[in-house]
C-alpha cells in the first residue's frame, strides 16, 4: 500500500455528530472527499435537503441524516438503537457534537452545568461505548473526539464547558488504554479559536477578539477547512499506531 492509499476511506462508513455546521460539517465533508459515506446527526439537522447533505452527495458519497437532542438521555438511546439497526457496520465515529453556555462561575446555574455535561460528556461516553463495542467485536474501528483548548486550560465564564472538555481528554486515554489492543483507535482533535457559532460572542467582543488574535502565532482565527487533513489522518490506516493522543489544531496557541 502506498502512503497516499493509506489515507483512503473508500468503502468506510462514518458517523459524525454535530455535523450540520462549523467544525463538524468540515469534518464530514473531508471524510466524504476521502471516500467515506456519512451518517450525520445534529439536534436540528433536516431529514433531507440540508447543506451538508447536498455537499456530501455532490462528492459522490451517501448521506443519511438523523436528528437527536443529546441532552435528552432517552432520545440518545433511541437514536443509538435506530442507527445501529440501520447501519450494522460503522467504521468511524466522530464525537463532535457539543454546546457551550457562558455565565461567570459564581452565577453559573445548575441547569447550565447539567446541560453542558450531558451533551459534551455523558452523551459522548454512552455513544462511544455503544458504537465501540461493535468495533471491538469486529476488531477494527476509528473513534475521534473533538476536545478543546479547554482540555488544557480553564477558560473564562465557561466552567461547565471546561470541565466537560477536560473529561474528554481523560476519556480519550481511558478508552484507548482498553481498546488499542482490540484494533480500535481512539484519539482526539483539540481546536483552537475557530470562526464558528461557538466563538461568535468572543469575535463580537472587541477587547476579547483583539486579545485572542494577538496570541495566535498564525495570526488568524481557524476555519472548519483546517480540520480536513487531521480528521482524515486520524480516521485512516495512516494513523494505525496512534492511540490516546490529542492533535492540536490551534494556529500555535498552545505553544505560545
Amino acid at each position: 500500500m502506498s502512503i497516499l492509499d493509506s489515507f483512503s476511506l473508500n468503502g468506510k462508513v462514518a458517523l459524525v455528530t454535530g455535523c450540520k455546521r462549523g467544525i463538524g460539517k468540515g469534518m464530514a465533508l473531508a471524510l466524504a472527499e476521502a471516500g467515506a459515506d456519512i451518517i450525520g446527526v445534529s439536534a436540528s439537522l433536516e431529514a433531507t435537503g440540508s447543506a451538508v447533505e447536498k455537499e456530501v452527495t455532490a462528492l459522490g458519497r451517501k448521506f443519511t441524516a438523523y436528528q437527536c437532542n443529546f441532552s435528552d438521555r432517552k432520545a440518545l438511546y433511541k437514536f443509538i438503537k435506530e442507527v445501529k439497526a440501520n447501519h450494522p457496520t460503522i467504521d468511524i465515529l466522530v464525537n463532535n457534537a457539543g454546546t457551550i453556555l457562558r455565565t461567570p462561575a459564581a452565577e453559573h446555574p445548575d441547569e447550565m452545568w447539567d446541560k453542558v455535561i450531558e451533551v459534551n460528556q455523558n452523551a459522548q461516553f454512552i455513544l462511544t461505548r455503544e458504537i465501540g463495542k461493535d468495533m471491538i467485536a469486529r476488531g477494527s474501528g476509528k473513534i475521534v473526539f473533538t476536545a478543546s483548548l479547554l482540555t488544557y486550560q480553564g477558560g473564562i465564564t465557561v466552567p461547565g464547558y471546561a470541565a466537560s472538555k477536560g473529561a474528554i481528554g481523560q476519556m480519550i486515554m481511558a478508552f484507548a488504554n482498553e481498546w488499542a489492543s482490540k484494533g480500535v483507535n481512539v484519539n482526539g482533535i483539540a481546536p483552537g479559536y475557530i470562526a464558528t457559532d461557538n466563538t461568535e460572542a468572543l469575535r463580537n467582543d472587541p477587547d476579547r477578539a483583539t486579545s485572542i488574535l494577538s496570541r495566535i502565532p498564525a495570526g488568524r482565527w481557524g476555519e472548519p477547512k483546517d480540520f480536513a487533513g487531521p480528521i482524515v489522518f486520524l480516521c485512516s490506516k495512516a494513523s494505525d499506531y496512534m492511540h490516546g493522543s490529542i492533535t492540536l489544531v490551534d494556529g500555535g496557541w498552545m505553544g505560545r
Side-chain angles (χ1 to χ4, degrees):
M1 176 181 292
S2 73
I3 184 60
L4 291 181
D5 287 340
S6 71
F7 286 87
S8 172
L9 299 178
N10 287 335
K12 302 296 184 181
V13 175
L15 170 55
V16 183
T17 73
C19 71
K20 184 174 179 178
R21 55 185 176 268
I23 293 171
K25 181 183 176 185
M27 289 178 172
L29 294 177
L31 295 174
E33 188 171 351
D37 291 327
I38 306 299
I39 304 165
V41 57
S42 289
S44 59
L45 183 63
E46 300 90 335
T48 59
S50 67
V52 64
E53 177 184 3
K54 291 175 181 176
E55 292 181 54
V56 166
T57 55
L59 292 167
R61 309 314 310 170
K62 297 177 183 176
F63 184 88
T64 308
Y66 291 87
Q67 189 176 104
C68 182
N69 177 0
F70 280 12
S71 69
D72 182 335
R73 187 74 62 89
K74 290 183 179 179
L76 174 63
Y77 274 109
K78 181 181 178 182
F79 162 70
I80 291 170
K81 182 178 180 180
E82 185 177 358
V83 77
K84 289 178 69 168
N86 293 339
H87 308 275
T89 300
I90 296 173
D91 303 288
I92 297 163
L93 170 62
V94 179
N95 282 310
N96 174 73
T99 189
I100 188 167
L101 297 173
R102 301 178 185 276
T103 301
E107 291 86 42
H108 207 83
D110 290 356
E111 294 78 12
M112 279 190 174
W113 175 274
D114 290 345
K115 181 175 181 179
V116 171
I117 295 298
E118 190 65 27
V119 172
N120 294 8
Q121 180 177 326
N122 297 342
Q124 298 200 36
F125 171 77
I126 292 168
L127 185 58
T128 300
R129 181 190 66 203
E130 296 303 310
I131 300 298
K133 64 178 61 175
D134 294 338
M135 293 178 173
I136 290 170
R138 293 194 306 271
S140 66
K142 299 280 186 173
I143 299 173
V144 181
F145 287 82
T146 297
S148 170
L149 292 180
L150 299 197
T151 301
Y152 309 96
Q153 301 174 325
I156 300 171
T157 74
V158 288
Y161 185 83
S164 69
K165 291 301 184 177
I168 289 299
Q170 294 302 115
M171 276 199 285
I172 289 166
M173 292 185 288
F175 279 120
N177 286 344
E178 295 190 36
W179 294 358
S181 64
K182 303 179 188 302
V184 179
N185 298 75
V186 184
N187 293 290
I189 293 175
Y193 286 93
I194 313 301
T196 65
D197 293 351
N198 274 2
T199 60
E200 185 174 4
L202 296 177
R203 288 181 287 116
N204 289 338
D205 181 329
D207 293 335
R208 288 295 307 279
T210 299
S211 174
I212 289 167
L213 195 59
S214 69
R215 179 175 162 164
I216 301 173
R220 66 174 177 87
W221 291 75
E223 301 175 30
K225 67 181 182 181
D226 292 316
F227 296 85
I231 192 62
V232 170
F233 169 60
L234 289 176
C235 292
S236 70
K237 286 190 67 62
S239 62
D240 276 356
Y241 198 56
M242 291 187 67
H243 298 276
S245 69
I246 301 176
T247 300
L248 285 160
V249 182
D250 66 347
W253 175 280
M254 288 297 294
R256 193 66 177 247

